[in-house]
Structure formats: structure tokens, C-alpha cells
Amino acid sequence: MTKAMAKIGIIGGGFSGIGCAYYLKDLAKDKKNEITILENNDRVGGLASGINNYRWKWPIDRVIHHWFMGEPYAVSIAKEIGMGDKLIFRTTKSSCYYKGKTAELDSAWSVLKFPFLSLVQRIRMGAVIAMLRLDKNYLRYENETAFSFIKRTMGKKVFEMMWEPLFVGKFGKHAPEVNAAWFWSRVHPRTKTLVYIEGGFQTYADRIADVIRDNNGKILLNTSINKIIKKGKYFEVYTKGNKFIFDILVLAVPLHVALRLFEFPYEYTKKYEQLKSIGAQYFVLELKKSFLSDGTYWLNVNDASFPFMMVAEHTNFVSKEHYGGHHMIWVGKYLDKTNPLWNMPEKKFLEIIIPYLHKINPAFNKSWIIDSFFTRFDNAQPVMPLGYSKKIPAVKTPVENLYLATMNHIYPSDRGTNYALGLGYKIAQIIRKDLF
């Protein structure tokens, strides 16, 4: 039994927010407690939300999403909510574009055959990747930069050709700051077989939301938060024309947004507002023809001069029949807001990337594009410097009954719906312990 009826508020309907509500849903089922999610957008899902179009049977994720094999929270929830038979398992192909050529790079065998490195360099890189895949202790890597670690273990040539362009494409000017634990997180869990779900991640998020509602939870969309204050034991959450009162509050929003919405102690705010994050911008392009015609799903672009760092062809993973028989690709880049590309209008940016797409596939031209969909996210990637585990705030804040569920808290990973759901589970367990 709970100590008393509790009103639990969750600000943010991304996967950490809906994950927390999902794992607390039994508390609301008998109406002895209340759970309410307040979401700014018109749908749940956050960075994994989707785009709908009348030509398609399925929405497509705004940003590329999939799961690796062995990611527990996402798959177990899918089974619990009746979507276990909707999981799609595919052995995929990942490749690397370098100096006008593309080569597969997604397995031990492909590393040994990789044409851009010498045999010694291939063996050395493969050995380090194997070590990282076997080592479960990421903390041993967080006090060395990724640049230093890769140069030391794989060699300068491998670093400059393989990894430096990707780090610069991902983190821009912050790339030299990133610790090697983040690099570990990009290697350790990877599997050649990936997992998707029928209808995409929006359908999955909507189903989780339905289950929360079925258990008497509330989800209010299009609800923008103006400010949050604490009066006595209660939190007052102010929206446009409304006020909500909660006993317990979870801020499942970017960290800098949490620091803006609630007035934490001065020293706490000053300490954590220094943590950096960068944005991302993605095009979804609907095409008449296949772009990665060799069957590649994910293509890393190992050329820092390109205005994007990756291209992925969704319809090399799932059937194009779900998208009106058309081919769907993502073209993405992470970037700091000081980058000139950040404020560039969508149409102008599309014109800029078209010649670079032509470099990858010389047959490609603008006439292939049926439609384009552009998304820009302010906070898509935390920058993780040395000793980062000691620099992020605890999920349980110094303010009683106030919790944080931010992308910073899934360290050493930087994003991913499975890790966000796991964070939701962690916070739900803490709240449950405090209530009983």
C-alpha cells in the first residue's frame, strides 16, 4: 500500500517519460494514484516520433531507429503490450564511403577484407574492436579521450581514415573532448542482426501510450510548460491557461530545459548548465529508385567535408511496399548551433546535399526525389568529456520528489529507445520504493 494517494507528473512524452509511466502503470490502475504525462508535441515518442503520409501504410521515424539484438527493455515491453509478433529481425549490411568508393564494414570478415587499410592495420583495428565488444567495463575508458585511445590502440592512419571524420561529423568542434567510454558504447553492443517493429517506432510508442491510458494514466498532448514551482510539498506546473498539482515530478526533458523550467539551487544550476549538447538535422527522402543499390542499410560517410555523416536506406531493412512502393532514405548530421548549416532553410540545405548524394551514387539525380521531410532537433547528442560519469547529476535531485530523466543519464550511450525505457524503469523503481 502507498503511504497516501500520490499524484505523479511526468514532463515529456519521449521514451524515458512513457517508459517511466509504463512501469508505474499498476499504481494508477485502481485509481488510488494518478499518473499524468504532459507532452509539448502532438504525439508521444520524442526523437523517435514518426512522420505520416497518405501514400504510406506505416509512418517513418524522423531519425533512424532500430534495436540491436539483446536490448532487453524494448523487446520485453513489445511482448507485454501484444506486439511481440510484430518484431522484425534482419541481418543487415553496413558500409563505409571513402574517397569515392564504398566497402562493407560490419563483421570480422569484412574488416579483414577492408580495402582502404593494410593487412596489419586491419588486424590491429579488428583486435581492438573485438576487445571492446568483450569488455563490459566502460568506466575504464572514460578518463582517456576517444582520439587518444584510437590513435594509441589502432594507429594514426586508422584513426585519420576511419574514425576522425565520423567523430567530426558527429561532434564537430567538440570531437577532441569526447571520452573513449562513448566510443566503447558504439562498439560493444553492436550486432549485425538488427530489430525493427511493424509500423515503426511511432506505432510502438502509441501502443505503449494506449496501455498507459488503459490503466487510467493520462497523457496530455500539445501541452507546453511555462514554469514549475514548488510550494510546500507540492509541485505547481503552469501551462498556457492551466495549472497542475503533483506530489512527485519527473522531468523527462533535455537537461538544459529542466534547468530552465524549475528553479534549482543556484550552485546546482551553475554546475550542470555547463554540460554541452549538440543538435541534429535529418532529411527523410522518398525516392523513385533505390539509392544504396548494393543492399547497404547504413552507410558511414568518412569525409568530413560532406554536409552529412550518414545515409541509411530504410527500405533495405523493411519492404518498400509499406511506403507506397517507394524507397526511403535518411540523410543525417549532428551539428553545433554555431554551424552555418544550423539555420539554413530546408530547401536551400536540400540543394546543397544533392550533389554530395550524387558523389555516392553517380546515377542519382534530383528527379528521383518524390518528397522530402526535414527535422531539426535542438538536443540530440550530449557531449561526453573525460570523467563524465562524475559530472552528470543524479536522477534523484536535491529537491524532494523531483527526478531527472535526461539523455545525459543513459551514459555511456548517447541515445536509443531501449536505454530511455531502461532509464524510465530505473526512476519508476526509485519512486515505487519512496511510495511504499
Side-chain angles (χ1 to χ4, degrees):
M1 296 293 292
T2 58
K3 297 172 183 176
M5 179 178 177
K7 293 185 177 181
I8 302 169
I10 300 171
I11 309 302
F15 271 84
S16 59
I18 62 175
C20 183
Y22 176 82
Y23 286 115
L24 290 171
K25 64 184 184 299
D26 61 293
L27 298 184
K29 187 174 183 179
D30 59 6
K31 297 186 179 181
K32 291 182 179 178
N33 302 280
E34 293 181 7
I35 297 174
T36 304
I37 296 174
L38 304 179
E39 166 56 41
N40 181 53
N41 294 307
D42 64 354
R43 62 193 65 194
V44 296
L47 287 174
S49 62
I51 301 166
N52 297 90
N53 190 279
Y54 71 93
R55 291 185 294 272
W56 313 332
K57 297 176 184 176
W58 293 0
I60 189 166
D61 313 317
R62 295 179 183 277
V63 177
I64 183 171
H65 278 86
H66 52 246
W67 297 309
F68 296 119
M69 295 290 288
E71 294 194 326
Y73 298 100
V75 172
S76 64
I77 287 180
K79 293 176 180 178
E80 290 167 11
I81 63 177
M83 296 189 74
D85 61 342
K86 307 297 184 185
L87 295 170
I88 302 168
F89 299 84
R90 291 280 188 276
T91 299
T92 59
K93 179 180 178 181
S94 296
S95 300
C96 166
Y97 175 83
Y98 178 68
K99 290 188 175 180
K101 296 181 180 179
T102 299
E104 185 174 359
L105 189 63
D106 56 8
S107 66
W109 180 240
S110 66
V111 170
L112 289 175
K113 295 192 301 176
F114 195 62
F116 306 130
L117 298 172
S118 71
L119 179 60
V120 172
Q121 290 167 337
R122 285 176 251 163
I123 292 173
R124 190 174 175 183
M125 182 173 73
V128 176
I129 289 173
M131 176 194 73
L132 293 173
R133 287 179 58 79
L134 291 171
D135 192 351
K136 297 181 179 180
N137 182 13
Y138 69 87
L139 288 173
R140 74 169 82 245
Y141 303 104
E142 79 161 1
N143 292 313
E144 181 177 9
T145 67
F147 277 21
S148 170
F149 173 80
I150 296 169
K151 290 177 188 176
R152 177 173 60 82
T153 58
M154 298 187 191
K156 184 179 179 182
K157 172 67 185 300
V158 174
F159 166 74
E160 290 175 346
M161 194 280 283
M162 285 297 305
W163 303 109
E164 186 177 24
L166 298 179
F167 270 86
V168 173
K170 181 91 169 179
F171 293 101
K173 66 183 181 182
H174 303 294
E177 306 170 35
V178 177
N179 71 43
W182 178 85
F183 182 63
W184 172 95
S185 78
R186 307 306 292 172
V187 174
H188 180 75
R190 298 190 84 83
T191 57
K192 190 170 171 61
T193 298
L194 302 177
V195 187
Y196 199 66
I197 194 161
E198 289 184 18
F201 279 67
Q202 185 65 63
T203 302
Y204 176 64
D206 288 341
R207 178 60 187 142
I208 295 173
D210 287 342
V211 172
I212 293 168
R213 294 186 184 100
D214 290 345
N215 285 271
N216 297 314
K218 300 175 183 177
I219 301 176
L220 304 181
L221 303 175
N222 299 304
T223 304
S224 180
I225 310 302
N226 294 329
K227 65 177 179 178
I228 302 168
I229 62 175
K230 190 171 187 185
K231 284 192 175 180
K233 294 183 177 181
Y234 306 108
F235 296 94
E236 295 184 353
V237 178
Y238 290 86
T239 65
K240 186 176 181 180
N242 211 339
K243 180 176 77 172
F244 298 85
I245 306 293
F246 298 113
D247 304 291
I248 296 169
L249 194 63
V250 179
L251 300 179
V253 294
L255 180 58
H256 89 274
V257 174
L259 296 175
R260 175 176 57 81
L261 289 177
F262 184 81
E263 189 174 348
F264 287 93
Y266 176 78
E267 291 301 324
Y268 183 92
T269 300
K270 291 296 291 182
K271 180 179 180 180
Y272 294 118
E273 69 182 3
Q274 300 176 40
L275 297 178
K276 303 170 188 173
S277 67
I278 57 177
Q281 49 192 33
Y282 267 75
F283 270 107
V284 173
L285 300 183
E286 183 180 4
L287 304 179
K288 297 175 183 177
K289 300 179 183 181
S290 174
F291 181 77
L292 299 174
S293 55
D294 66 346
T296 291
Y297 166 61
W298 181 299
L299 180 70
N300 281 322
V301 178
N302 286 54
D303 187 332
S305 71
F306 272 53
F308 51 87
M309 62 171 292
M310 58 76 66
V311 180
E313 185 151 345
H314 185 47
T315 41
N316 281 344
F317 191 153
V318 300
S319 173
K320 65 182 181 179
E321 298 308 313
H322 305 303
Y323 300 96
H326 301 146
H327 302 266
M328 310 297 293
I329 68 170
W330 289 286
V331 183
K333 182 174 178 62
Y334 293 80
L335 68 171
D336 190 274
K337 295 176 188 176
T338 59
N339 190 306
L341 296 176
W342 181 255
N343 291 312
M344 186 172 289
E346 174 186 343
K347 289 183 179 180
K348 184 177 180 181
F349 186 46
L350 180 59
E351 291 298 325
I352 285 176
I353 71 170
I354 285 174
Y356 290 91
L357 291 172
H358 180 74
K359 288 183 179 182
I360 295 172
N361 182 347
F364 171 81
N365 62 66
K366 188 176 180 180
S367 68
W368 286 21
I369 301 174
I370 297 168
D371 211 343
S372 66
F373 306 86
F374 184 70
T375 300
R376 183 175 278 144
F377 290 104
D378 282 356
N379 299 278
Q381 171 67 63
V383 177
M384 303 175 181
L386 300 181
Y388 193 68
S389 65
K390 298 180 177 63
K391 295 179 178 179
I392 55 178
V395 296
K396 196 170 184 177
T397 75
V399 179
E400 187 178 10
N401 293 327
L402 181 60
Y403 304 86
L404 292 175
T406 76
M407 201 176 294
N408 308 76
H409 291 101
I410 62 172
Y411 175 73
S413 299
D414 51 13
R415 61 186 182 91
T417 54
N418 176 73
Y419 304 111
L421 291 169
L423 176 61
Y425 174 80
K426 177 181 178 180
I427 295 173
Q429 294 305 103
I430 296 171
I431 292 173
R432 191 180 296 274
K433 183 179 178 181
D434 290 345
L435 281 175
F436 286 90

